[in-house]
Amino acid sequence: RALLWLGPVYLAGYLGLSGSWVLLGLALWLCWGHNRRWKRDRLAAAFALLEDEREAVCQGLAARHLPAWVHFPDVERVEWLNKVLVQAWPYFGSIMEKTFKEVLEPKIRAKNVHLKTCTFTKIHFGEKCPRINGIKAYTKEIDRRQVILDLQICYIGDCEIHMDISKFNLGVKGIQLYGTLRVILEPLLADPPFIGAVTLFFMQKPHLEISWAGMSNLLDIPGINMMSDSLIQDLIAARLVLPNRITVPLKKNMNIAHLRFPVPHGVIRVHLLEAENLVQKDSFLGAIRGKSDPYALLRVGTVQYRSKTVSRDLNPIWNETFEFVVHEVPGQDLEVDLYDEDPDKDDFMGSLLISLVDVMNDRAVDEWFPLSKTTSGHLHLKLEWLSLVNDQENLHEDKKGLSTAILIVYLDSAFNLPKNHFEYSNGECGAKKIKNNKYLKKMEREPSSFVLLTVGNKTQKSKTCNFSKDPTWGQAFTFFVHSAQSQSLHVEIKDKDRDSALGTSVVCLSHLLKDPDMTLDQRFQLDHSSSDSFIKMKLVLRALNVEEPDPQRVKAGVSASKQGPVHVVEKGGNQQKFGSPPNPDGSKVPHVSKDSAALESLLRKDSRDNLDTNDSSAAPVPSETVAGLTEAEHEQNPEHRPTSALHTRAAVVPTLPVVQELRLAPSITSLGSLPSSCFELSSSNLDLHNGTEMPLGEIQLTVRYASVRQSLVVLVNGCRNLVPSSNRGVDPYVRIYLLPDRRWASRKKTSVKKKTLNPQYDEKFEFFESLEDVKKRTLDIAVKNSRPFISQERKELGKVRIDLSQEDLIKGFAQW
């Protein structure tokens, strides 16, 4: 058997063939053995699981070194809380039954004459209680006096609620509800109850499905069911979805107005520029593919805008601008969906989800985004984060017609509204005689009023307060302002039943500029109403400030920083767009000083910023030796302006020292002493130019962690000054591992660039791991030569390892 195995090895060596044949045979043998062992282990695990399931699972977990995120995840499981809900659910059902009978039923009867016979005949909340799938707590990204909890709620209930109205039976026999409920505990106090108030709201519209019973089964008819469900979702959104909130004070005399209506975090301005390589959706006779008619839906929270439709174009250009008010960060995202407009049903063409936290941190983002849930397509967006300031200097009118400020209206209440518009006319009694007694009784009722608020061409409507001369709305509204000096807020109070105006008011926004804080909180006299009719509002004007991006900060949120022109890189069936690396042309780089003190300072920085994991046998070079080497080099070549990686690095990334390269390979003797196989050198294939060039070459990388996609993003920009491995040239490519994982399936590889020592890749790779797991890993990057299969040429051209535990991955870094 030994001769049988060693025979092919001897034959390959005798014939001078590549060792790849031996490795291929060894790989096949290992694969066969692995499959056989896997089958035996699988059968043994099945038998063990059959005998004792719990013990088998515990032994399997104990044998593994589980990462920290398994024990301390970002979204935590709260099974103890679910067990508490299960135990308390019957008692909650009895409380709700009492509430329905004693509180809700009288209110429904008082709403309308036709509802006076309303009676709840059956109230049963079932055996299944709501479940909390996970809780995420925010404590570091927010104010120290608050705690934010995101609860992933899922309720698939078997409740039954039946109601009789005028011999008609209506009811519900099942509800499905799931969504993310945000709970804000603020302010935190130093005395009991330690929490001032609790604020509740849904981040997005929750998904809702209702199974009807009785006469309400008609709502399950196709076509009507979608309309009824959306109507109920809108009713929920009007009270429980951002920007609407429910605030419950826990301490007496707690002012909760600023908690119910906080000032928004900012404004996101979205420039929808263009798209390319979209999927063809239109077809003729089911076979001939045509062009699509794309349009975009942009959504932040409950606010949605639609772009114009570009006819018959897979590379549409929109050049439209949309503005959204951002109420909660973190939490809210920008959602973009592309559709193909058709006469019957619009076809989906791809979507995009962008975290607004990343845009807020980067302040400005201009890049191409690959579309998800589709085979191809990119979308070009320019995103700007606008902060809210009370600086009147920023209120100048924008020449492009964009908004320069935001008006926040806190609609509180009204006082002494007239019963109808005939009661008062310009402050004078002008009642008319009505012969119809039925209509006269209707006019004698208290008004059911709502408010229309208008700024420019945008009008918003408040909820309706029924049968009250002193209604209380308690709502907040936001308006974009283009010119604060000339625009006004128009307020009109109308009666729902008679659709008549009960009073109007006009507030010029220039009055807010007289206040240093640009705020008005007072009662406003109503025109065309009673002389003692007022409306109470609080008006807050804030300027939109476009902050300049920090040039020292590497963009880490939406995408890495881009330097140079943007171009397209083919990757599989989809196109990825990334920024090209800086031009490594040495002629455009300023000359590096020969001062040894400067090199010593660079050496001190190198001890902190070194990312390359070198062999321990390569001892560091003293700064005096480095300085002497640099001076000797200039003495030998007084007119030589180096274009090596030394000077380019000093220009592109000043914080990375040039001593890094000199420490790796200051001379040919140290190169030969490195024990790594990737640095096997021979005098026949190296052109060292008397040791003045950097023989090992450099690679430019951009590394960051995308919190939205939960992935480590590695952007391979390019290489320069690679070492030629043969006289026929080099075909380099880059191989990436996230150690200790060296599986073939997890290997990342760039395309091969033919016959070049300075290849440009601009290719992005993602490792979908949690941030806690990534910080325990090492990035292993090797530049290799794509050689023929039986060739004996040197394959590896260089290697670098980056310890990710020492890096700020959220901020990211981009360097050579």
Side-chain angles (χ1 to χ4, degrees), residues 110-299:
K111 285 286 184 180
N112 197 293
V113 178
H114 303 289
L115 300 177
K116 285 186 177 181
T117 60
C118 172
T119 304
F120 286 100
T121 57
K122 183 178 181 180
I123 301 174
H124 178 60
F125 278 82
E127 303 299 329
K128 298 180 181 180
C129 67
R131 176 178 175 81
I132 299 177
N133 292 332
I135 293 181
K136 183 176 182 179
Y138 299 89
T139 55
K140 296 181 180 179
E141 305 92 340
I142 55 177
D143 187 15
R144 292 179 60 87
R145 295 196 62 191
Q146 66 176 189
V147 176
I148 296 180
L149 304 174
D150 281 349
L151 280 66
Q152 299 176 0
I153 295 180
C154 176
Y155 177 50
I156 305 177
D158 54 349
C159 63
E160 285 192 57
I161 302 175
H162 294 270
M163 179 174 58
D164 285 343
I165 301 177
S166 299
K167 298 181 181 180
F168 292 103
N169 180 264
L170 308 175
V172 174
K173 60 181 180 181
I175 295 178
Q176 295 185 27
L177 173 72
Y178 51 88
T180 300
L181 179 69
R182 172 157 292 190
V183 180
I184 301 180
L185 310 176
E186 70 169 331
L188 301 181
L189 306 175
D191 54 336
F194 306 111
I195 299 174
V198 178
T199 303
L200 307 170
F201 55 86
F202 282 99
M203 301 297 301
Q204 306 284 349
K205 281 186 179 180
H207 177 79
L208 177 67
E209 289 186 13
I210 300 177
S211 297
W212 301 98
M215 289 292 294
S216 52
N217 265 327
L218 296 175
L219 297 177
D220 281 333
I221 297 176
I224 299 179
N225 59 347
M226 294 181 61
M227 184 171 57
S228 62
D229 290 345
S230 62
L231 181 61
I232 295 175
Q233 287 183 350
D234 291 340
L235 292 176
I236 295 176
R239 290 164 175 79
L240 274 176
V241 180
L242 272 178
N244 306 293
R245 306 164 185 250
I246 292 180
T247 302
V248 181
L250 301 181
K251 187 176 182 180
K252 294 182 178 179
N253 303 324
M254 173 64 64
N255 184 14
I256 62 173
H258 67 286
L259 300 178
R260 291 188 61 195
F261 310 114
V263 177
H265 282 256
V267 171
I268 179 73
R269 180 175 290 164
V270 183
H271 300 273
L272 179 64
L273 301 179
E274 55 184 324
E276 72 170 16
N277 197 26
L278 297 181
V279 180
Q280 297 178 350
K281 289 294 183 179
D282 292 341
S283 62
F284 302 97
L285 302 177
I288 304 176
R289 307 295 292 181
K291 293 186 177 181
S292 301
D293 306 320
Y295 68 90
L297 292 179
L298 299 93
R299 181 170 52 256

Side-chain angles (χ1 to χ4, degrees), residues 354-374:
I354 300 176
S355 173
L356 296 183
V357 179
D358 300 332
V359 180
M360 182 181 67
N361 294 333
D362 294 341
R363 300 178 186 174
V365 177
D366 186 358
E367 63 180 84
W368 288 85
F369 296 90
L371 295 174
S372 60
K373 302 178 183 179
T374 185

Side-chain angles (χ1 to χ4, degrees), residues 341-358:
E341 187 176 40
D342 288 324
D344 49 356
K345 182 181 180 181
D346 296 345
D347 298 320
F348 178 74
M349 303 181 67
S351 64
L352 183 63
L353 182 68
I354 300 176
S355 173
L356 296 183
V357 179
D358 300 332

Side-chain angles (χ1 to χ4, degrees), residues 406-452:
I406 183 175
L407 176 66
I408 308 166
V409 181
Y410 301 101
L411 180 62
D412 188 358
S413 56
F415 307 94
N416 297 322
L417 294 181
K419 293 181 180 179
N420 53 74
H421 69 291
F422 297 120
E423 185 175 349
Y424 294 97
S425 177
N426 293 325
E428 298 180 359
C429 182
K432 297 183 179 180
K433 294 182 180 180
I434 305 296
K435 296 181 180 180
N436 193 336
N437 293 331
K438 184 177 180 180
Y439 186 67
L440 185 59
K441 290 181 180 179
K442 188 176 180 180
M443 294 180 61
E444 290 298 326
R445 289 203 314 254
E446 299 291 335
S448 298
S449 55
F450 63 91
V451 182
L452 295 178

Side-chain angles (χ1 to χ4, degrees), residues 635-651:
E635 288 176 1
Q636 294 177 4
N637 303 280
E639 298 178 358
H640 176 60
R641 177 71 63 113
T643 60
S644 64
L646 168 68
H647 297 80
T648 311
R649 166 178 290 214

Side-chain angles (χ1 to χ4, degrees), residues 531-550:
S531 58
D532 56 349
S533 297
F534 296 90
I535 184 171
K536 184 179 181 182
M537 297 184 297
K538 181 180 179 181
L539 310 180
V540 178
L541 186 65
R542 289 291 180 265
L544 301 181
N545 182 35
V546 182
E547 298 183 4
E548 294 296 330
D550 186 3

